[in-house]
Amino acid sequence: MFFTKLLPSQQSNKFLKEERLTIQQKQDRTLEADVKAILSCRESIQAKTNNTFDSTRILGIVAAGKSADKYFPYTIPKIIDQISETGMMADIVIGLNNGFEAPTVINRFTLLPNVQVIHLYTDEKAANNIPSKIFDNLMCAGKPYLLTNIVSNYLQHRIFVVHQKEGLHAAGKIRVLGDIYCSLLLNSIENGWIPPAILFTFDAESLFFIERKYPFLDLDSNGLQLMINHLNEHPQIDIFSTRNRFAVYQKAMVDGIEILLPDFNQEIPPIQLFLDLMHGRHNGFQWMQGGGTFGRTDALISLLVVIAQTYPGMRVEDTHLTILAKYAGFIYEVFLDVVSINRTFSSIDTTMDKPSKKAWVEQVSRWSAGHHALELCYGRHNISTITSGGKIPLSIFTEPLQFLKRLKGRDKVSLYTILKKIEVLASAFLISQKITNKSLEKPDILQGNKAKACW
């Protein structure tokens, strides 16, 4: 018998390859199990509803925490007005996370024309991955609340305000979303509620505009209506996202209340600028935008139910949702003509930490920690087409003129402008690498008692 003895370095390489293969197999099995749970949930919803959905209403979901009251006085009425222009009625569910309250703002919603406000309350959360029950009274007495299609004044817009009880396991956006999707929506479907055909997710600061030529926004446009029309015209699409557009927000007054509104004349930090230029256009930047994802209600509920119950430490649920949608076989895409506005910070804004940190860097750091947690969970080989982790895709070099045209923005074309913009991108790349290296050392923990979903 003849054999070749491996050198120590070859043995080490062989061991690393085998170890890597074993890790990838485990990641593949995790992804497969999550997809199986999602498809099972969707099949159950379709069976309970007889695959029939309400086409007269649209369902919007938002999780709200500290500072949400600085946006809602403007964004909620604006969203309801945009939905009214479609001829549909809105069911807006606002989840007030972990004891956060905004009584002055919520009370003002009752003054909006043709709007009914319904207050709901959760009991204490038993664990970070167990949804709280939801009731129609502060004492959480009686049977849990269920949505129904037989209500008085059904031709009104409805705002459901879910007051999540403060508790050890409640902190974090994904926790209150879990209560909404699992306890309110899924339980109501299982008890006979026929939900709206279209569901959309948004953030407290979300505004929807048409933008067919970057960076020029049509501030009088109804981007939300265009999203709905496109979904109705393309029934094969399961999930449909706006493109992301960052903006620095400034103080303003609306009806005597101080709020925050986007200031599109302010420059945004370099990494956020790069993401704006790339999102939806290039491989590795194809995630659904949490501040403006629209889709078939059964698909989105199934995805968020599984994410909330399985990964209570998730802080980038929009990217997570996209990965699972891809492998579940859902048809999804980013719509380049509509943007949802996402707040970022100016280059001089700092956090309240001691010592203070640059707010925009901390924002990117959260995304990076979430990305690397997903990479550990599912494997880079499974997620790289959706989220690149800040890496520059080769595709921008195949269409350099288009990229440079977007990069110049409103500025006139000149050698100085181009060099200045390239300098900004170089800065973004260097800072991004530092953030990436830091997040590699401390990625988010997605499961177990140490999972934290807040910041």
Side-chain angles (χ1 to χ4, degrees), residues 60-272:
I61 310 291
V62 59
K66 184 180 178 181
S67 81
D69 53 335
K70 296 298 184 182
Y71 310 107
F72 280 158
Y74 184 79
T75 58
I76 294 295
K78 181 73 172 178
I79 286 171
I80 289 176
D81 285 346
Q82 289 188 331
I83 291 173
S84 294
E85 290 179 16
T86 70
M88 303 172 74
M89 291 289 142
D91 281 340
I92 304 295
V93 183
I94 300 172
L96 302 181
N97 183 223
N98 195 31
F100 170 71
E101 293 290 343
T104 302
V105 173
I106 300 301
N107 287 338
R108 288 174 67 89
F109 293 157
T110 63
L111 304 178
L112 297 174
N114 203 31
V115 170
Q116 178 187 14
V117 177
I118 300 165
H119 291 270
L120 302 174
Y121 306 86
T122 73
D123 63 3
E124 191 165 350
K125 208 168 184 66
N128 60 22
N129 62 341
I130 298 177
S132 300
K133 294 178 181 178
I134 295 177
F135 300 83
D136 62 1
N137 62 90
L138 183 58
M139 301 304 295
C140 296
K143 294 181 178 180
Y145 182 85
L146 297 173
L147 297 164
T148 174
N149 299 98
I150 307 173
V151 296
S152 60
N153 300 320
Y154 194 62
L155 293 179
Q156 288 184 315
H157 301 293
R158 300 186 297 181
I159 298 177
F160 298 90
V161 183
V162 179
H163 302 262
Q164 188 190 43
K165 188 174 183 177
E166 184 178 4
L168 177 64
H169 304 297
K173 178 181 178 181
I174 194 65
R175 311 287 173 85
V176 73
L177 290 178
D179 292 348
I180 292 169
Y181 282 95
C182 302
S183 289
L184 184 61
L185 304 187
L186 196 58
N187 283 348
S188 295
I189 289 171
E190 290 176 352
N191 284 274
W193 175 56
I194 301 299
I198 295 175
L199 184 156
F200 72 101
T201 68
F202 65 104
D203 293 332
E205 74 268 29
S206 292
L207 295 167
F208 301 100
F209 298 116
I210 295 174
E211 182 195 85
R212 290 195 168 97
K213 186 180 179 182
Y214 180 85
F216 301 100
L217 285 171
D218 182 352
L219 296 178
D220 295 321
S221 62
N222 187 340
L224 190 148
Q225 183 176 31
L226 191 58
M227 294 294 290
I228 294 172
N229 290 346
H230 194 85
L231 266 178
N232 287 331
E233 292 166 4
H234 298 83
Q236 75 278 11
I237 296 176
D238 293 299
I239 304 172
F240 197 49
S241 171
T242 61
R243 198 164 49 74
N244 185 74
R245 175 71 184 267
F246 285 108
V248 176
Y249 279 59
Q250 295 292 332
K251 292 179 181 179
M253 297 295 293
V254 170
D255 297 332
I257 294 182
E258 184 180 279
I259 65 168
L260 293 171
L261 287 176
D263 180 356
F264 297 108
N265 293 318
Q266 279 209 54
E267 288 189 2
I268 61 175
I271 294 178
Q272 282 80 349

Side-chain angles (χ1 to χ4, degrees), residues 185-432:
L185 304 187
L186 196 58
N187 283 348
S188 295
I189 289 171
E190 290 176 352
N191 284 274
W193 175 56
I194 301 299
I198 295 175
L199 184 156
F200 72 101
T201 68
F202 65 104
D203 293 332
E205 74 268 29
S206 292
L207 295 167
F208 301 100
F209 298 116
I210 295 174
E211 182 195 85
R212 290 195 168 97
K213 186 180 179 182
Y214 180 85
F216 301 100
L217 285 171
D218 182 352
L219 296 178
D220 295 321
S221 62
N222 187 340
L224 190 148
Q225 183 176 31
L226 191 58
M227 294 294 290
I228 294 172
N229 290 346
H230 194 85
L231 266 178
N232 287 331
E233 292 166 4
H234 298 83
Q236 75 278 11
I237 296 176
D238 293 299
I239 304 172
F240 197 49
S241 171
T242 61
R243 198 164 49 74
N244 185 74
R245 175 71 184 267
F246 285 108
V248 176
Y249 279 59
Q250 295 292 332
K251 292 179 181 179
M253 297 295 293
V254 170
D255 297 332
I257 294 182
E258 184 180 279
I259 65 168
L260 293 171
L261 287 176
D263 180 356
F264 297 108
N265 293 318
Q266 279 209 54
E267 288 189 2
I268 61 175
I271 294 178
Q272 282 80 349
L273 172 62
F274 180 71
L275 292 174
D276 269 5
L277 297 174
M278 306 302 289
H279 183 235
R281 294 189 172 99
H282 295 276
N283 203 30
F285 296 82
Q286 296 294 335
W287 61 85
M288 302 293 98
Q289 171 61 18
T293 293
F294 293 67
R296 310 302 166 190
T297 297
D298 54 330
L300 285 175
I301 289 179
S302 302
L303 288 161
L304 268 301
V305 162
V306 171
I307 291 171
Q309 291 188 334
T310 314
Y311 301 98
M314 177 50 57
R315 298 195 295 175
V316 288
E317 77 289 339
D318 48 1
T319 305
H320 197 168
L321 177 154
T322 314
I323 295 166
L324 293 175
K326 173 183 177 178
Y327 289 97
F330 296 168
I331 298 174
Y332 67 93
E333 62 180 83
V334 179
F335 191 34
L336 299 181
D337 289 347
V338 177
V339 296
S340 55
I341 309 303
N342 191 355
R343 184 190 179 186
T344 190
F345 304 89
S346 73
S347 58
I348 61 173
D349 287 337
T350 58
T351 66
M352 300 298 290
D353 301 331
K354 293 183 180 181
S356 62
K357 303 172 184 176
K358 289 186 177 181
W360 70 269
V361 173
E362 287 303 291
Q363 185 180 41
V364 177
S365 296
R366 290 196 298 272
W367 300 332
S368 184
H371 163 83
H372 287 294
L374 286 169
E375 195 171 272
L376 289 173
C377 183
Y378 296 132
R380 184 182 301 176
H381 60 292
N382 283 322
I383 74 171
S384 60
T385 58
I386 294 166
T387 173
S388 68
K391 296 178 178 63
I392 298 176
L394 294 176
S395 53
I396 68 171
F397 300 107
T398 63
E399 48 176 48
L401 292 180
Q402 292 182 17
F403 178 75
L404 289 173
K405 187 176 181 181
R406 293 197 304 270
L407 179 61
K408 79 173 184 62
R410 294 185 177 90
D411 298 332
K412 293 182 179 179
V413 177
S414 68
L415 180 60
Y416 173 80
T417 298
I418 293 174
L419 291 176
K420 194 69 177 175
K421 294 288 186 178
I422 291 175
E423 182 183 342
V424 169
L425 287 187
S427 169
F429 178 75
L430 293 174
I431 296 171
S432 177

